[in-house]
Amino acid sequence: MKLLVTLERDESGMLVAECPSLPGCISQGETEAAALTNIREAIQACLAARKANNLPLSVEVREVEIEVA
């Protein structure tokens, strides 16, 4: 299973990793490698929790670019 992950640096310099198709699935790390390792573990935990609660494993997410004046 492949899932989109976003990376964004926060005010303290940490990289915040989020998986949009798993609401609330967020982690962080000091480096990109650490953030990706941590979000991978968070995704596994989120998938297990969703499965245990009979929830869909993920929600549909679409990326759409819009122009802003």
Short mmCIF file of all heavy atoms in Angstrom, two decimals:
data_model
loop_
_atom_site.label_atom_id
_atom_site.label_comp_id
_atom_site.label_asym_id
_atom_site.label_seq_id
_atom_site.Cartn_x
_atom_site.Cartn_y
_atom_site.Cartn_z
N MET A 1 0.85 -1.17 0.00
CA MET A 1 0.00 0.00 0.00
C MET A 1 0.89 1.24 0.00
O MET A 1 1.84 1.33 0.78
CB MET A 1 -0.90 -0.03 1.25
CG MET A 1 -1.68 1.23 1.48
SD MET A 1 -2.67 1.19 3.00
CE MET A 1 -4.22 0.66 2.34
N LYS A 2 0.62 2.17 -0.89
CA LYS A 2 1.36 3.42 -0.93
C LYS A 2 0.42 4.55 -0.53
O LYS A 2 -0.71 4.62 -1.01
CB LYS A 2 1.90 3.69 -2.33
CG LYS A 2 3.04 2.80 -2.72
CD LYS A 2 3.62 3.23 -4.05
CE LYS A 2 4.76 2.32 -4.45
NZ LYS A 2 5.40 2.77 -5.69
N LEU A 3 0.89 5.44 0.35
CA LEU A 3 0.09 6.56 0.81
C LEU A 3 0.90 7.84 0.68
O LEU A 3 2.13 7.84 0.90
CB LEU A 3 -0.30 6.35 2.29
CG LEU A 3 -1.17 5.13 2.58
CD1 LEU A 3 -1.25 4.89 4.07
CD2 LEU A 3 -2.55 5.32 1.99
N LEU A 4 0.24 8.91 0.36
CA LEU A 4 0.87 10.22 0.25
C LEU A 4 1.20 10.73 1.65
O LEU A 4 0.38 10.63 2.57
CB LEU A 4 -0.07 11.21 -0.45
CG LEU A 4 0.42 12.65 -0.54
CD1 LEU A 4 1.58 12.76 -1.51
CD2 LEU A 4 -0.72 13.55 -0.95
N VAL A 5 2.40 11.25 1.81
CA VAL A 5 2.82 11.87 3.07
C VAL A 5 3.32 13.27 2.74
O VAL A 5 4.05 13.47 1.77
CB VAL A 5 3.95 11.04 3.73
CG1 VAL A 5 4.58 11.78 4.90
CG2 VAL A 5 3.42 9.69 4.18
N THR A 6 2.90 14.24 3.55
CA THR A 6 3.39 15.60 3.37
C THR A 6 4.42 15.89 4.45
O THR A 6 4.34 15.38 5.57
CB THR A 6 2.25 16.63 3.45
OG1 THR A 6 1.64 16.56 4.74
CG2 THR A 6 1.21 16.39 2.37
N LEU A 7 5.41 16.71 4.12
CA LEU A 7 6.44 17.14 5.06
C LEU A 7 6.45 18.66 5.12
O LEU A 7 6.45 19.32 4.07
CB LEU A 7 7.82 16.64 4.62
CG LEU A 7 8.04 15.14 4.59
CD1 LEU A 7 9.39 14.81 3.98
CD2 LEU A 7 7.94 14.55 5.98
N GLU A 8 6.48 19.19 6.32
CA GLU A 8 6.50 20.64 6.50
C GLU A 8 7.32 20.95 7.74
O GLU A 8 7.17 20.32 8.78
CB GLU A 8 5.07 21.14 6.69
CG GLU A 8 4.96 22.63 6.87
CD GLU A 8 3.52 23.08 7.06
OE1 GLU A 8 2.60 22.28 6.87
OE2 GLU A 8 3.34 24.26 7.39
N ARG A 9 8.22 21.92 7.62
CA ARG A 9 9.04 22.30 8.76
C ARG A 9 8.24 23.25 9.65
O ARG A 9 7.64 24.20 9.18
CB ARG A 9 10.33 22.98 8.29
CG ARG A 9 11.36 23.02 9.40
CD ARG A 9 12.76 23.23 8.91
NE ARG A 9 13.30 22.25 8.00
CZ ARG A 9 13.87 21.10 8.36
NH1 ARG A 9 13.91 20.76 9.62
NH2 ARG A 9 14.38 20.29 7.46
N ASP A 10 8.23 22.97 10.96
CA ASP A 10 7.48 23.84 11.88
C ASP A 10 8.38 24.95 12.42
O ASP A 10 9.55 25.07 12.05
CB ASP A 10 6.82 23.03 13.00
CG ASP A 10 7.79 22.46 14.02
OD1 ASP A 10 9.00 22.79 13.99
OD2 ASP A 10 7.35 21.66 14.87
N GLU A 11 7.83 25.77 13.30
CA GLU A 11 8.53 26.94 13.83
C GLU A 11 9.79 26.57 14.60
O GLU A 11 10.73 27.36 14.68
CB GLU A 11 7.61 27.76 14.74
CG GLU A 11 6.30 28.21 14.11
CD GLU A 11 5.24 27.10 14.12
OE1 GLU A 11 5.26 26.22 15.00
OE2 GLU A 11 4.41 27.11 13.20
N SER A 12 9.81 25.38 15.19
CA SER A 12 10.96 24.97 15.99
C SER A 12 12.03 24.26 15.15
O SER A 12 13.07 23.86 15.67
CB SER A 12 10.51 24.05 17.14
OG SER A 12 10.05 22.81 16.62
N GLY A 13 11.75 24.07 13.87
CA GLY A 13 12.71 23.43 12.98
C GLY A 13 12.47 21.94 12.77
O GLY A 13 13.17 21.30 12.00
N MET A 14 11.50 21.38 13.49
CA MET A 14 11.17 19.97 13.32
C MET A 14 10.43 19.77 12.00
O MET A 14 9.69 20.65 11.56
CB MET A 14 10.29 19.47 14.47
CG MET A 14 10.97 19.48 15.81
SD MET A 14 12.26 18.25 15.97
CE MET A 14 11.27 16.78 16.20
N LEU A 15 10.62 18.61 11.39
CA LEU A 15 9.86 18.26 10.19
C LEU A 15 8.61 17.51 10.63
O LEU A 15 8.70 16.48 11.31
CB LEU A 15 10.69 17.37 9.26
CG LEU A 15 11.53 18.09 8.24
CD1 LEU A 15 12.47 17.13 7.52
CD2 LEU A 15 10.66 18.79 7.23
N VAL A 16 7.47 18.04 10.26
CA VAL A 16 6.18 17.43 10.59
C VAL A 16 5.73 16.63 9.38
O VAL A 16 5.68 17.14 8.27
CB VAL A 16 5.14 18.50 10.96
CG1 VAL A 16 3.78 17.86 11.24
CG2 VAL A 16 5.61 19.32 12.15
N ALA A 17 5.44 15.36 9.61
CA ALA A 17 4.97 14.46 8.55
C ALA A 17 3.51 14.13 8.82
O ALA A 17 3.13 13.82 9.95
CB ALA A 17 5.80 13.19 8.54
N GLU A 18 2.70 14.21 7.76
CA GLU A 18 1.27 13.93 7.90
C GLU A 18 0.81 13.06 6.74
O GLU A 18 1.27 13.22 5.61
CB GLU A 18 0.48 15.23 7.91
CG GLU A 18 -0.99 15.05 8.11
CD GLU A 18 -1.73 16.37 8.30
OE1 GLU A 18 -1.12 17.44 8.19
OE2 GLU A 18 -2.94 16.31 8.53
N CYS A 19 -0.10 12.15 7.03
CA CYS A 19 -0.70 11.29 6.00
C CYS A 19 -2.15 11.72 5.82
O CYS A 19 -3.00 11.35 6.63
CB CYS A 19 -0.60 9.83 6.42
SG CYS A 19 -1.26 8.71 5.18
N PRO A 20 -2.44 12.53 4.81
CA PRO A 20 -3.79 13.08 4.64
C PRO A 20 -4.90 12.04 4.51
O PRO A 20 -6.03 12.30 4.90
CB PRO A 20 -3.69 13.91 3.36
CG PRO A 20 -2.24 14.20 3.19
CD PRO A 20 -1.53 13.02 3.79
N SER A 21 -4.60 10.86 3.99
CA SER A 21 -5.65 9.86 3.81
C SER A 21 -5.96 9.09 5.09
O SER A 21 -6.86 8.26 5.11
CB SER A 21 -5.31 8.90 2.68
OG SER A 21 -4.10 8.23 2.95
N LEU A 22 -5.22 9.40 6.17
CA LEU A 22 -5.49 8.83 7.49
C LEU A 22 -5.65 10.00 8.46
O LEU A 22 -4.68 10.47 9.04
CB LEU A 22 -4.35 7.91 7.94
CG LEU A 22 -4.14 6.65 7.13
CD1 LEU A 22 -2.85 5.95 7.55
CD2 LEU A 22 -5.33 5.72 7.25
N PRO A 23 -6.87 10.50 8.61
CA PRO A 23 -7.08 11.68 9.44
C PRO A 23 -6.47 11.52 10.84
O PRO A 23 -6.63 10.50 11.50
CB PRO A 23 -8.61 11.77 9.54
CG PRO A 23 -9.10 11.09 8.29
CD PRO A 23 -8.11 9.98 8.06
N GLY A 24 -5.68 12.54 11.22
CA GLY A 24 -5.05 12.54 12.52
C GLY A 24 -3.72 11.81 12.58
O GLY A 24 -3.09 11.77 13.63
N CYS A 25 -3.28 11.25 11.48
CA CYS A 25 -2.02 10.50 11.45
C CYS A 25 -0.88 11.47 11.17
O CYS A 25 -0.60 11.81 10.01
CB CYS A 25 -2.08 9.39 10.41
SG CYS A 25 -0.69 8.25 10.53
N ILE A 26 -0.23 11.91 12.24
CA ILE A 26 0.82 12.92 12.16
C ILE A 26 2.00 12.48 13.02
O ILE A 26 1.82 11.89 14.08
CB ILE A 26 0.31 14.29 12.66
CG1 ILE A 26 -0.88 14.74 11.83
CG2 ILE A 26 1.41 15.34 12.64
CD1 ILE A 26 -1.58 15.97 12.37
N SER A 27 3.20 12.77 12.57
CA SER A 27 4.40 12.51 13.36
C SER A 27 5.43 13.58 13.02
O SER A 27 5.13 14.52 12.28
CB SER A 27 4.94 11.10 13.08
OG SER A 27 5.90 10.75 14.05
N GLN A 28 6.62 13.45 13.57
CA GLN A 28 7.66 14.45 13.30
C GLN A 28 9.03 13.83 13.48
O GLN A 28 9.16 12.72 13.98
CB GLN A 28 7.49 15.65 14.20
CG GLN A 28 7.66 15.34 15.67
CD GLN A 28 7.41 16.55 16.55
OE1 GLN A 28 6.90 17.55 16.10
NE2 GLN A 28 7.78 16.45 17.81
N GLY A 29 10.05 14.58 13.08
CA GLY A 29 11.43 14.16 13.28
C GLY A 29 12.35 15.33 13.02
O GLY A 29 11.97 16.31 12.40
N GLU A 30 13.57 15.22 13.53
CA GLU A 30 14.55 16.29 13.34
C GLU A 30 15.09 16.32 11.92
O GLU A 30 15.51 17.36 11.44
CB GLU A 30 15.69 16.15 14.34
CG GLU A 30 15.26 16.44 15.77
CD GLU A 30 16.43 16.41 16.74
OE1 GLU A 30 17.60 16.28 16.31
OE2 GLU A 30 16.15 16.53 17.95
N THR A 31 15.09 15.15 11.27
CA THR A 31 15.55 15.05 9.88
C THR A 31 14.45 14.44 9.04
O THR A 31 13.48 13.86 9.56
CB THR A 31 16.79 14.16 9.78
OG1 THR A 31 16.42 12.82 10.14
CG2 THR A 31 17.93 14.65 10.66
N GLU A 32 14.60 14.54 7.72
CA GLU A 32 13.61 13.94 6.84
C GLU A 32 13.55 12.42 7.05
O GLU A 32 12.47 11.84 7.12
CB GLU A 32 13.92 14.26 5.38
CG GLU A 32 12.88 13.73 4.42
CD GLU A 32 13.09 14.17 2.99
OE1 GLU A 32 13.51 15.32 2.77
OE2 GLU A 32 12.81 13.36 2.09
N ALA A 33 14.71 11.81 7.18
CA ALA A 33 14.74 10.35 7.39
C ALA A 33 14.02 9.97 8.68
O ALA A 33 13.24 9.01 8.71
CB ALA A 33 16.19 9.86 7.42
N ALA A 34 14.25 10.72 9.75
CA ALA A 34 13.60 10.42 11.03
C ALA A 34 12.09 10.65 10.92
O ALA A 34 11.30 9.84 11.42
CB ALA A 34 14.19 11.29 12.14
N ALA A 35 11.69 11.74 10.27
CA ALA A 35 10.26 12.03 10.11
C ALA A 35 9.57 10.93 9.31
O ALA A 35 8.46 10.51 9.65
CB ALA A 35 10.05 13.39 9.45
N LEU A 36 10.22 10.44 8.26
CA LEU A 36 9.62 9.38 7.44
C LEU A 36 9.56 8.06 8.18
O LEU A 36 8.57 7.32 8.07
CB LEU A 36 10.39 9.24 6.12
CG LEU A 36 10.25 10.42 5.16
CD1 LEU A 36 11.14 10.24 3.94
CD2 LEU A 36 8.81 10.65 4.76
N THR A 37 10.58 7.75 8.97
CA THR A 37 10.55 6.54 9.79
C THR A 37 9.41 6.63 10.80
O THR A 37 8.63 5.68 10.97
CB THR A 37 11.89 6.35 10.53
OG1 THR A 37 12.90 6.12 9.57
CG2 THR A 37 11.83 5.17 11.50
N ASN A 38 9.28 7.78 11.44
CA ASN A 38 8.24 7.97 12.45
C ASN A 38 6.84 7.94 11.86
O ASN A 38 5.93 7.36 12.45
CB ASN A 38 8.47 9.27 13.22
CG ASN A 38 9.75 9.22 14.03
OD1 ASN A 38 10.27 8.15 14.33
ND2 ASN A 38 10.28 10.37 14.39
N ILE A 39 6.64 8.55 10.68
CA ILE A 39 5.30 8.55 10.09
C ILE A 39 4.95 7.15 9.60
O ILE A 39 3.80 6.74 9.66
CB ILE A 39 5.14 9.62 8.97
CG1 ILE A 39 3.65 9.80 8.62
CG2 ILE A 39 5.92 9.26 7.74
CD1 ILE A 39 2.80 10.37 9.69
N ARG A 40 5.94 6.39 9.16
CA ARG A 40 5.68 5.01 8.74
C ARG A 40 5.14 4.20 9.93
O ARG A 40 4.16 3.47 9.81
CB ARG A 40 6.95 4.37 8.19
CG ARG A 40 6.72 3.00 7.57
CD ARG A 40 7.97 2.45 6.88
NE ARG A 40 8.19 3.17 5.62
CZ ARG A 40 9.20 4.03 5.39
NH1 ARG A 40 10.08 4.30 6.33
NH2 ARG A 40 9.32 4.61 4.22
N GLU A 41 5.76 4.38 11.10
CA GLU A 41 5.28 3.69 12.31
C GLU A 41 3.88 4.18 12.70
O GLU A 41 3.03 3.39 13.09
CB GLU A 41 6.26 3.92 13.46
CG GLU A 41 7.59 3.23 13.27
CD GLU A 41 8.61 3.59 14.33
OE1 GLU A 41 8.27 4.34 15.29
OE2 GLU A 41 9.76 3.14 14.21
N ALA A 42 3.65 5.49 12.58
CA ALA A 42 2.34 6.06 12.91
C ALA A 42 1.27 5.53 11.95
O ALA A 42 0.16 5.21 12.38
CB ALA A 42 2.39 7.59 12.86
N ILE A 43 1.61 5.41 10.67
CA ILE A 43 0.67 4.87 9.69
C ILE A 43 0.30 3.44 10.04
O ILE A 43 -0.87 3.06 10.01
CB ILE A 43 1.25 4.97 8.26
CG1 ILE A 43 1.26 6.43 7.79
CG2 ILE A 43 0.48 4.08 7.28
CD1 ILE A 43 2.04 6.67 6.51
N GLN A 44 1.29 2.64 10.39
CA GLN A 44 1.02 1.24 10.75
C GLN A 44 0.08 1.18 11.96
O GLN A 44 -0.86 0.38 11.98
CB GLN A 44 2.32 0.50 11.03
CG GLN A 44 3.14 0.29 9.77
CD GLN A 44 4.56 -0.19 10.03
OE1 GLN A 44 5.09 -0.05 11.14
NE2 GLN A 44 5.18 -0.76 9.01
N ALA A 45 0.30 2.03 12.95
CA ALA A 45 -0.55 2.07 14.13
C ALA A 45 -1.97 2.54 13.78
O ALA A 45 -2.96 1.98 14.26
CB ALA A 45 0.06 2.95 15.21
N CYS A 46 -2.07 3.57 12.93
CA CYS A 46 -3.38 4.08 12.52
C CYS A 46 -4.15 3.02 11.74
O CYS A 46 -5.35 2.84 11.96
CB CYS A 46 -3.22 5.35 11.66
SG CYS A 46 -2.74 6.81 12.59
N LEU A 47 -3.48 2.32 10.84
CA LEU A 47 -4.15 1.28 10.07
C LEU A 47 -4.65 0.16 10.99
O LEU A 47 -5.77 -0.33 10.82
CB LEU A 47 -3.21 0.71 9.00
CG LEU A 47 -2.90 1.63 7.82
CD1 LEU A 47 -1.82 1.02 6.93
CD2 LEU A 47 -4.15 1.95 7.02
N ALA A 48 -3.84 -0.22 11.96
CA ALA A 48 -4.25 -1.27 12.90
C ALA A 48 -5.46 -0.82 13.72
O ALA A 48 -6.40 -1.59 13.92
CB ALA A 48 -3.08 -1.63 13.82
N ALA A 49 -5.45 0.43 14.17
CA ALA A 49 -6.57 0.96 14.96
C ALA A 49 -7.83 1.05 14.12
O ALA A 49 -8.92 0.70 14.59
CB ALA A 49 -6.21 2.32 15.53
N ARG A 50 -7.70 1.50 12.88
CA ARG A 50 -8.87 1.60 12.01
C ARG A 50 -9.45 0.21 11.73
O ARG A 50 -10.65 0.01 11.74
CB ARG A 50 -8.52 2.34 10.72
CG ARG A 50 -8.19 3.82 10.96
CD ARG A 50 -7.83 4.55 9.68
NE ARG A 50 -8.99 4.79 8.85
CZ ARG A 50 -9.85 5.80 9.03
NH1 ARG A 50 -9.66 6.66 10.01
NH2 ARG A 50 -10.88 5.95 8.21
N LYS A 51 -8.57 -0.76 11.49
CA LYS A 51 -9.03 -2.13 11.23
C LYS A 51 -9.75 -2.69 12.47
O LYS A 51 -10.81 -3.30 12.35
CB LYS A 51 -7.85 -3.01 10.85
CG LYS A 51 -8.24 -4.41 10.48
CD LYS A 51 -7.04 -5.23 10.01
CE LYS A 51 -7.49 -6.63 9.60
NZ LYS A 51 -6.36 -7.43 9.14
N ALA A 52 -9.17 -2.47 13.65
CA ALA A 52 -9.76 -2.99 14.89
C ALA A 52 -11.13 -2.38 15.17
O ALA A 52 -11.96 -3.01 15.82
CB ALA A 52 -8.82 -2.72 16.05
N ASN A 53 -11.35 -1.16 14.67
CA ASN A 53 -12.63 -0.48 14.90
C ASN A 53 -13.56 -0.54 13.70
O ASN A 53 -14.53 0.21 13.61
CB ASN A 53 -12.37 0.98 15.30
CG ASN A 53 -11.78 1.07 16.68
OD1 ASN A 53 -12.47 0.81 17.67
ND2 ASN A 53 -10.50 1.41 16.78
N ASN A 54 -13.24 -1.44 12.76
CA ASN A 54 -14.05 -1.64 11.56
C ASN A 54 -14.27 -0.35 10.76
O ASN A 54 -15.35 -0.13 10.23
CB ASN A 54 -15.40 -2.29 11.91
CG ASN A 54 -15.22 -3.68 12.47
OD1 ASN A 54 -14.43 -4.45 11.96
ND2 ASN A 54 -15.93 -3.97 13.54
N LEU A 55 -13.24 0.46 10.70
CA LEU A 55 -13.29 1.68 9.89
C LEU A 55 -12.60 1.42 8.57
O LEU A 55 -11.72 0.55 8.48
CB LEU A 55 -12.58 2.82 10.62
CG LEU A 55 -13.21 3.28 11.93
CD1 LEU A 55 -12.28 4.24 12.66
CD2 LEU A 55 -14.55 3.92 11.68
N PRO A 56 -12.95 2.19 7.53
CA PRO A 56 -12.20 2.06 6.27
C PRO A 56 -10.73 2.32 6.53
O PRO A 56 -10.38 3.17 7.36
CB PRO A 56 -12.80 3.14 5.37
CG PRO A 56 -14.01 3.65 6.06
CD PRO A 56 -13.95 3.24 7.48
N LEU A 57 -9.86 1.61 5.84
CA LEU A 57 -8.43 1.78 6.10
C LEU A 57 -7.93 3.17 5.76
O LEU A 57 -6.98 3.65 6.36
CB LEU A 57 -7.62 0.72 5.35
CG LEU A 57 -7.78 -0.70 5.88
CD1 LEU A 57 -6.87 -1.65 5.13
CD2 LEU A 57 -7.50 -0.77 7.37
N SER A 58 -8.55 3.82 4.80
CA SER A 58 -8.14 5.19 4.46
C SER A 58 -9.34 5.93 3.86
O SER A 58 -10.36 5.32 3.57
CB SER A 58 -6.98 5.19 3.47
OG SER A 58 -7.35 4.62 2.25
N VAL A 59 -9.20 7.23 3.73
CA VAL A 59 -10.22 8.04 3.07
C VAL A 59 -9.64 8.55 1.77
O VAL A 59 -8.43 8.69 1.62
CB VAL A 59 -10.69 9.22 3.97
CG1 VAL A 59 -11.34 8.71 5.23
CG2 VAL A 59 -9.55 10.15 4.29
N GLU A 60 -10.51 8.82 0.81
CA GLU A 60 -10.04 9.31 -0.49
C GLU A 60 -9.54 10.75 -0.36
O GLU A 60 -10.19 11.60 0.24
CB GLU A 60 -11.17 9.27 -1.51
CG GLU A 60 -10.71 9.69 -2.89
CD GLU A 60 -11.83 9.64 -3.92
OE1 GLU A 60 -12.85 8.97 -3.69
OE2 GLU A 60 -11.66 10.29 -4.96
N VAL A 61 -8.38 10.98 -0.92
CA VAL A 61 -7.79 12.32 -0.93
C VAL A 61 -7.42 12.64 -2.37
O VAL A 61 -6.85 11.81 -3.08
CB VAL A 61 -6.52 12.37 -0.05
CG1 VAL A 61 -5.83 13.71 -0.16
CG2 VAL A 61 -6.87 12.06 1.39
N ARG A 62 -7.77 13.84 -2.80
CA ARG A 62 -7.37 14.29 -4.14
C ARG A 62 -6.56 15.55 -4.00
O ARG A 62 -6.86 16.41 -3.18
CB ARG A 62 -8.60 14.59 -4.99
CG ARG A 62 -9.43 13.39 -5.32
CD ARG A 62 -10.61 13.68 -6.23
NE ARG A 62 -11.12 15.04 -6.17
CZ ARG A 62 -11.47 15.75 -7.23
NH1 ARG A 62 -11.38 15.24 -8.44
NH2 ARG A 62 -11.94 16.96 -7.11
N GLU A 63 -5.52 15.66 -4.80
CA GLU A 63 -4.73 16.88 -4.86
C GLU A 63 -5.23 17.70 -6.03
O GLU A 63 -5.30 17.20 -7.15
CB GLU A 63 -3.25 16.57 -5.07
CG GLU A 63 -2.51 16.31 -3.80
CD GLU A 63 -1.02 16.22 -4.03
OE1 GLU A 63 -0.47 17.00 -4.83
OE2 GLU A 63 -0.42 15.35 -3.42
N VAL A 64 -5.57 18.94 -5.75
CA VAL A 64 -6.06 19.84 -6.79
C VAL A 64 -5.30 21.15 -6.64
O VAL A 64 -5.22 21.70 -5.55
CB VAL A 64 -7.58 20.10 -6.65
CG1 VAL A 64 -8.07 21.05 -7.71
CG2 VAL A 64 -8.34 18.78 -6.70
N GLU A 65 -4.72 21.62 -7.72
CA GLU A 65 -4.03 22.92 -7.69
C GLU A 65 -5.02 24.00 -8.09
O GLU A 65 -5.78 23.83 -9.04
CB GLU A 65 -2.85 22.93 -8.64
CG GLU A 65 -1.71 22.06 -8.18
CD GLU A 65 -0.49 22.19 -9.07
OE1 GLU A 65 -0.39 23.17 -9.84
OE2 GLU A 65 0.37 21.29 -8.98
N ILE A 66 -5.01 25.09 -7.33
CA ILE A 66 -5.85 26.23 -7.69
C ILE A 66 -4.98 27.47 -7.79
O ILE A 66 -3.93 27.56 -7.16
CB ILE A 66 -6.98 26.47 -6.66
CG1 ILE A 66 -6.41 26.77 -5.29
CG2 ILE A 66 -7.91 25.27 -6.59
CD1 ILE A 66 -7.43 27.26 -4.29
N GLU A 67 -5.42 28.39 -8.60
CA GLU A 67 -4.70 29.65 -8.76
C GLU A 67 -5.26 30.67 -7.81
O GLU A 67 -6.47 30.79 -7.63
CB GLU A 67 -4.85 30.16 -10.20
CG GLU A 67 -3.99 31.35 -10.48
CD GLU A 67 -4.04 31.74 -11.96
OE1 GLU A 67 -4.21 30.84 -12.81
OE2 GLU A 67 -3.91 32.94 -12.25
N VAL A 68 -4.36 31.36 -7.12
CA VAL A 68 -4.76 32.40 -6.18
C VAL A 68 -4.16 33.71 -6.66
O VAL A 68 -2.96 33.77 -6.92
CB VAL A 68 -4.27 32.07 -4.75
CG1 VAL A 68 -4.69 33.16 -3.79
CG2 VAL A 68 -4.81 30.72 -4.31
N ALA A 69 -4.99 34.70 -6.76
CA ALA A 69 -4.52 36.00 -7.27
C ALA A 69 -3.69 36.72 -6.26
O ALA A 69 -3.75 36.59 -5.10
CB ALA A 69 -5.71 36.87 -7.67
#
